[in-house]
Amino acid sequence: MPKGIRIELPDEPPLILTNLVLDFTGTLSLDGELIPGVAESLKALSGKLRITILTSDTFGTAKKALQGLPMEVLLVKNGKEKAKFVQRIGGKKVIAIGNGQNDIEMLRLAALGIAVAGAEGCSGKLVAVSDVLVSDIIHALDLLKNPLRIKATLRK
């Protein structure tokens, strides 16, 4: 079982996060192709976090693109199914990362929600519920490798 990531914020109890839940289309991929560097970053995080990809798989490429990586890939129909998954595993231990409107409830339920405004864009409504906004997925995954960056961003 992965040990998790500890994030300490001033004047708040520490967050101990054990699950990373990500969207695929537009978050981990561009036009259905895995963004360079993502596989390596996910492998590096897999020792600390249980990783699950929730996707509607617009391009039909997710399972092939993620084949062999240490994570579970689940096909979902909509954001409601993503939210139910986060709720089921316990949102207080979840980091959720996405870019689309169907990621809103998933990020809202997670202890830490990261919106990615990459090449395929990002829903403005998602930005409004996210804790952190980054310009690409590698930056988001690097935050998890270096939790002091999150502390610096979310400090009140």
Side-chain angles (χ1 to χ4, degrees):
M1 184 74 180
K3 54 188 166 197
I5 292 176
R6 181 181 179 97
I7 300 172
E8 296 195 28
L9 300 173
D11 303 320
E12 292 186 30
L15 296 174
I16 308 296
L17 306 169
T18 57
N19 289 276
L20 174 58
V21 179
L22 302 111
D23 169 57
F24 179 75
T25 305
T27 302
L28 295 178
S29 67
L30 175 62
D31 298 328
E33 298 291 321
L34 200 61
I35 293 169
V38 166
E40 295 78 12
S41 290
L42 291 174
K43 283 180 194 173
L45 288 168
S46 68
K48 293 183 178 183
L49 298 165
R50 176 179 170 237
I51 302 173
T52 307
I53 312 303
L54 302 178
T55 182
S56 298
D57 202 12
T58 304
F59 294 91
T61 60
K63 289 203 176 199
K64 183 178 179 188
L66 298 167
Q67 186 175 355
L69 294 175
M71 65 198 58
E72 185 175 14
V73 180
L74 301 174
L75 297 179
V76 296
K77 293 178 187 162
N78 53 43
K80 207 176 265 190
E81 289 185 11
K82 289 181 176 187
K84 281 182 185 176
F85 178 83
V86 169
Q87 217 167 19
R88 185 169 49 89
I89 64 172
K92 291 183 180 182
K93 295 190 179 281
V94 173
I95 303 155
I97 304 177
N99 77 310
Q101 195 148 326
N102 68 349
D103 298 320
I104 291 172
E105 290 306 313
M106 175 176 82
L107 264 67
R108 191 185 319 258
L109 290 167
L112 178 66
I114 303 174
V116 176
E120 290 188 22
C122 182
S123 165
K125 292 178 182 178
L126 180 70
V127 172
V129 302
S130 67
D131 296 301
V132 178
L133 170 66
V134 294
S135 58
D136 71 47
I137 186 59
I138 299 301
H139 293 158
L141 298 173
D142 283 350
L143 287 175
L144 304 180
K145 293 179 200 171
N146 303 291
L148 286 177
R149 292 179 184 176
I150 298 168
K151 179 178 182 177
T153 299
L154 297 180
R155 175 180 289 133
K156 292 180 183 170

